[in-house]
Amino acid sequence: MATTTGKIDFQYQGVTYQTWYKLVGDLQSTKAGVRPLIALHGGPGVSHSYMTPHADLFASHGIPVILYDQIGIGESSHFKDAPKEFWSVDLFMDELENLLNHFGINGDFDLVGHSWGGMLAANFAAARQPAGLKHLVITDTPASMALWEKSTAGLVEQLPQDIQDVIKKHEAAGSTDAPEFQEAMLVFYKKHVCRLATWPDALNASFAAMEADPTVYHTMQGPSEFTITGTLKTWNVIDILHTIKASTLMINSVHDEAQDVCMLPFFNNIPKVKWVQFADSSHVPFFEEPERYKKVVGDFLTMA
């Protein structure tokens, strides 16, 4: 299949940055009823690599897919010394608009966002009201960070008591970089991020990119999935979800970090919405149940 990579100039606050992208498929030869899909990775600050299973939608459904590294991670521009105010939702919405304009697809496109990427996609759809957005896929995503904290706190309470004690001790002490805390996080990850015995290389690559430059993750999220101290702590999109016009598919899993409690507002407030849950997955169903995931998402994106 045709694959193209490159970088796009992105001007923001008078400075030119670069957004790295990978296009799988041909934007000029899409069949009727099919439009480009832009995949928004999570984190924030986890690279695009783990989103590559979405590129299979070109082979299975003829959907061209654009993957990209958001600014601050992977092959895109890094800005380690930026003030924390720089890393805003508006920054990433502007970057997405710039990418759509570069490819000339802002009049007809679909979005899939995973975790933070789903937050970004929902915020973009509701706040920017893009006329060309036809389908929105929100995967393993909270509608507010307060609900995310509620979801992950409930899962932490189900961990073995000794693991809970380690987490609470280091959170209270502010020593979340301690190896003991990192080991406790890994227990959580193996239950609620990816339940596969061996993690896929693409998933490991994304986490390695974040570890190489954790600027965005630490600034916007905090030290861990369940210790939210960053600029996203008060993020909430619930009040504007009713303005989303695109047909929307929301996905989560039984063992997901994103439990039903943090996704329910999408279902209650988006006018045209469908909810699919995966029984044998956690936070990355495109790795844990790949064939079903590809069929559910591909069929949704190509429906009339």
Side-chain angles (χ1 to χ4, degrees), residues 33 35 134-135 247-249 274 297-304:
R35 59 200 56 79
K134 302 302 192 297
H135 299 95
S247 296
T248 301
L249 170 66
K274 175 183 179 180
V297 173
D299 289 356
F300 172 76
L301 294 176
T302 53
M303 71 180 185

Side-chain angles (χ1 to χ4, degrees), residues 11 28 53 79 82 94 101 115 159 168 178 188 228 233 287:
Q11 292 192 347
Q28 308 305 319
F79 193 7
D94 285 356
N101 291 334
S115 199
L159 296 175
K168 291 174 183 176
F188 180 88
I228 313 301
K233 186 171 181 64
F287 287 121

Side-chain angles (χ1 to χ4, degrees), residues 14-37:
V15 178
T16 300
Y17 304 95
Q18 289 193 314
T19 301
W20 180 94
Y21 70 86
K22 176 186 285 186
L23 166 63
V24 179
D26 186 352
L27 296 178
Q28 308 305 319
S29 60
T30 56
K31 60 185 179 182
V34 174
R35 59 200 56 79
L37 174 68

